[in-house]
Amino acid sequence: MIRVTVWNEYNGTQNFPHYPRGIHEYIKDFLNACEGIEATSQIQFCEGEGLTEEILSHTDVLVYWAHGFHELLSEGAAERVVRHVQQGMGVVFLHSAHMSKPFRRLMGTTCTLKWREAAERERLWLIDRNHPLAQGLPECIVIPHEEMYGERFDIPVPDELVGIGWFQGGEVMRSVCCYRRGLGRVIYLQPGHETYPVYTQPEIQKLIENAVRYAAPVSRAEKVECDWVQKPQEEIK
Ligand code: ZN
């Protein structure tokens, strides 16, 4: 079983029309319908911010959605997420989580981008057809209404660039990106503006499911540190 924690900044008021119980609950439910995935949810505005040591050490893949309260997340919680990724936990950052503290720390760049909220069409091209994230999906996913996110997206060159989004207004975006940080995988998925029903689309649900499976850890370390000074394997003459 892949243990998934779906995390949302949720403060109890963000019941968007398409997700009346919160985006985290909606994503949790469709992930739980996938074989081999066991999803629970956590929110920011609670004791421990939903990112305690206990929660993260029992999480194989953290799915992270946030928009308006990035700066209210404590430095300690951001540091815990980064450390658990370095120790092997997978993380999938969704949409506006590009500006979250853990994502920016893992990238080491500003992570800024261009944006426009005009309910325009996005054509999300999965350009690496053989990649695990593209399995079971068409080459081009059409999202009828999406917030435009465009280049330049200030991220490091992705280890694996899987998808490029094109928007009706003309911009393009590196929309599906994979990185390795320490033992962990970091995946960024651009789709998912909260006022459009993006996560109700079966192809986007499949993309998130694929991302969870790909980010799942192969092995995890107890700690990030290691003893750097080494005894030689054989006598050096
Ligand atoms: Zn948005």
Side-chain angles (χ1 to χ4, degrees):
M1 275 290 187
I2 302 172
R3 298 164 302 173
V4 174
T5 300
V6 183
W7 188 92
N8 185 355
E9 64 183 9
Y10 195 71
N11 64 6
T13 65
Q14 300 140 303
N15 299 311
F16 306 112
H18 302 292
Y19 315 107
R21 293 184 302 122
I23 286 176
H24 52 303
E25 290 299 309
Y26 191 87
I27 293 174
K28 181 190 81 176
D29 288 348
F30 72 68
L31 284 177
N32 272 326
C34 303
E35 209 182 318
I37 293 178
E38 193 175 72
T40 53
S41 65
Q42 292 290 339
I43 56 170
Q44 178 169 356
F45 295 97
C46 69
E47 182 83 28
E49 300 165 278
L51 296 169
T52 62
E53 201 62 51
E54 171 76 8
I55 291 165
L56 293 174
S57 57
H58 292 91
T59 298
D60 294 319
V61 181
L62 179 67
V63 175
Y64 193 111
W65 193 97
H67 181 204
F69 305 111
H70 298 312
E71 295 310 312
L72 297 182
L73 190 81
S74 71
E75 299 298 319
E79 185 276 327
R80 281 195 296 280
V81 172
V82 170
R83 180 164 43 79
H84 277 271
V85 171
Q86 290 168 338
Q87 290 171 221
M89 183 183 76
V91 62
V92 180
F93 289 98
L94 298 174
H95 187 60
S96 38
H98 71 94
M99 282 303 282
S100 67
K101 285 183 181 179
F103 186 69
R104 284 186 289 149
R105 284 182 179 213
L106 286 161
M107 296 296 105
T109 54
T110 69
C111 301
T112 51
L113 45 73
K114 294 184 180 134
W115 62 277
R116 170 176 61 239
E117 198 175 345
E120 64 202 272
R121 182 165 61 251
E122 175 182 3
R123 289 184 173 274
L124 176 55
W125 292 90
L126 298 174
I127 58 170
D128 187 348
R129 300 298 301 144
N130 210 28
H131 195 280
L133 261 67
Q135 296 318 297
L137 288 168
E139 183 178 21
C140 179
I141 299 171
V142 178
I143 303 172
H145 303 289
E146 180 56 292
E147 179 180 24
M148 185 282 288
Y149 271 13
E151 299 283 347
R152 187 171 189 271
F153 182 21
D154 184 29
I155 48 172
V157 173
D159 296 335
E160 297 158 33
L161 177 59
V162 182
I164 297 176
W166 168 90
F167 294 83
Q168 221 175 340
E171 289 85 358
V172 292
M173 166 82 177
R174 286 169 292 171
S175 292
V176 181
C177 305
C178 305
Y179 297 88
R180 287 194 140 179
R181 291 292 183 266
L183 292 179
R185 285 192 197 276
V186 179
I187 299 176
Y188 176 74
L189 303 178
Q190 159 266 312
H193 186 60
E194 63 271 20
T195 57
Y196 311 134
V198 180
Y199 295 133
T200 68
Q201 221 175 306
E203 301 101 312
I204 302 301
Q205 294 182 9
K206 178 69 178 164
L207 181 62
I208 294 172
E209 178 196 343
N210 287 351
V212 162
R213 294 191 194 284
Y214 189 55
V218 175
S219 66
R220 292 180 79 154
E222 288 298 311
K223 56 189 177 78
V224 175
E225 301 83 4
C226 93
D227 292 323
W228 293 106
V229 179
Q230 294 283 299
K231 284 202 177 85
Q233 302 296 303
E234 56 188 84
E235 193 184 348
I236 302 167
K237 292 177 182 167

